Amino acid sequence: MKNLIQEIHSWLVVSRILFQYVLYRLGFRACPTFMDHRPECKQVIGRVLGWPRRLRATGMEFCPKEHPAVFCCNHFKKDDPFVVEAGIYDASDRHIWVIPMMRDDFFKSHHRFLLFDPDELINMFGTLRISRDSVTLSQLKPFVELLRSRGSFLMFPGRTRSQSGLLFEYREGIEEPGGPTFFAAQAQRNHPDLKVAIVPVARSYNPATKKTTVSYGKPLYLEGKTDRAAQRALDFRVIEEIGNALELNVSNVLAGYLFLHRLHRRRTPIRLEEIEQDLQSVFASVDKTRRIDPDAMSNLPKEIRHSLRFFEKAGMLRRTRQEVYPNDEAILGVPELGPLYRKKNPVKFLANQIAHMADVVRAIEDVVLD
């Protein structure tokens, strides 16, 4: 009953702020803010997006319980800032609200309506904006000041959403990861009492079950005075630790399995029993420090069926009760890099998510080439 009352309260609070925003757009009052009611917003957004059933966390013991911190995350989906921000709040025992770093042209191509401006709505959540291609010092300074005033923020070192599924994607104008150590070094400069945690965070998403896991890695720190070379080395270490924190699920392992199976032109059709045995072997063989979706261990056959159904709907394969018929042309196809890549070839997109995990790729190769 208490939870129901709290949820009703949250919906009333958010509805009131949105009504105030409409009045602001009509010129009757100043622009409101969500900043004073972030727990209520989290509950409403979470209910709309199904977080109670679909969002879980691992490695919460590594999440700092106090400011300041720079949280660094991979970036696959548009809702990453909201999902990860909410996850950090819960993992920090409700002590840390982060300010997301977002590029200032995110909504440039989106439609604006009479009563709603996406940029204004995002700003109402307290985001700090930067230019992706021409960042200015004045845009960076607020993040340093936020850390010095014992605040925290969330950034995506990959700079933009991955279109291919790779953890870090080299594209035009993007040749190296963003630098969280820059902010930590500037904040700690002349402030020996300040220690900024740099926290690797990985979001994994299983499109077959629509479940998300937010995983935390052990915080990293700049110790004492460091030169720029040492800082950049730590920046790359952050990317590595994000990759290590990414949770394996059945969809991305099955995608890697199907891709390598067809790349090496193994026998088809593939028996469902064979797929189950092979994936069981893969999960048992990977590095013991890997984070694995519990459903992959407790209910592997059901998870495989979910994933096969997802791939079948995308045209990647055809299945019968006992056999799977891969679509070689679809699975081995290389779509043009862009927003539609994941739709045109979800097998390759999901396989790319684990391409950096040498032990996982090796385990898949072992069963495919056996």
Side-chain angles (χ1 to χ4, degrees), residues 111-234:
H111 294 292
R112 285 168 170 75
F113 304 95
L114 173 63
L115 297 181
F116 295 96
D117 182 321
D119 278 309
E120 287 182 341
L121 288 171
I122 287 295
N123 287 336
M124 287 165 60
F125 283 98
T127 59
L128 290 172
R129 317 292 283 276
I130 64 169
S131 301
R132 182 169 59 181
D133 299 323
S134 54
V135 181
T136 65
L137 187 59
S138 62
Q139 291 175 331
L140 299 179
K141 187 175 180 180
F143 295 98
V144 176
E145 293 302 323
L146 179 65
L147 296 175
R148 285 180 176 172
S149 61
R150 302 306 194 271
S152 300
F153 66 89
L154 166 67
M155 68 178 292
F156 300 97
R159 301 174 186 258
T160 188
R161 291 193 311 279
S162 174
Q163 295 178 345
S164 65
L166 293 172
L167 185 74
F168 183 83
E169 190 173 270
Y170 289 95
R171 281 150 57 184
E172 185 177 355
I174 302 176
E175 299 178 353
E176 58 181 18
T181 59
F182 166 82
F183 301 100
Q186 293 302 312
Q188 292 176 181
R189 186 179 180 183
N190 300 323
H191 292 79
D193 59 323
L194 191 65
K195 195 172 184 181
V196 178
I198 302 174
V199 189
V201 185
R203 181 198 179 175
S204 62
Y205 175 72
N206 185 335
T209 60
K210 294 181 169 55
K211 291 182 179 180
T212 280
T213 301
V214 179
S215 305
Y216 303 88
K218 189 175 181 180
L220 304 171
Y221 296 90
L222 279 176
E223 302 291 350
K225 292 184 178 180
T226 54
D227 59 23
R228 190 59 189 141
Q231 291 174 25
R232 286 309 281 164
L234 188 55

Side-chain angles (χ1 to χ4, degrees), residues 259 327-335 341 344-345 348:
F259 179 76
N327 181 340
D328 286 11
E329 183 178 354
I331 290 175
L332 298 177
V334 183
Y341 187 103
K344 291 182 177 179
N345 193 340
K348 193 165 179 57

Side-chain angles (χ1 to χ4, degrees), residues 352-370:
N352 282 342
Q353 290 185 352
I354 59 173
H356 64 281
M357 301 179 178
D359 58 309
V360 179
V361 174
R362 185 166 52 249
I364 296 174
E365 286 178 335
D366 286 344
V367 298
V368 168
L369 300 178
D370 184 21

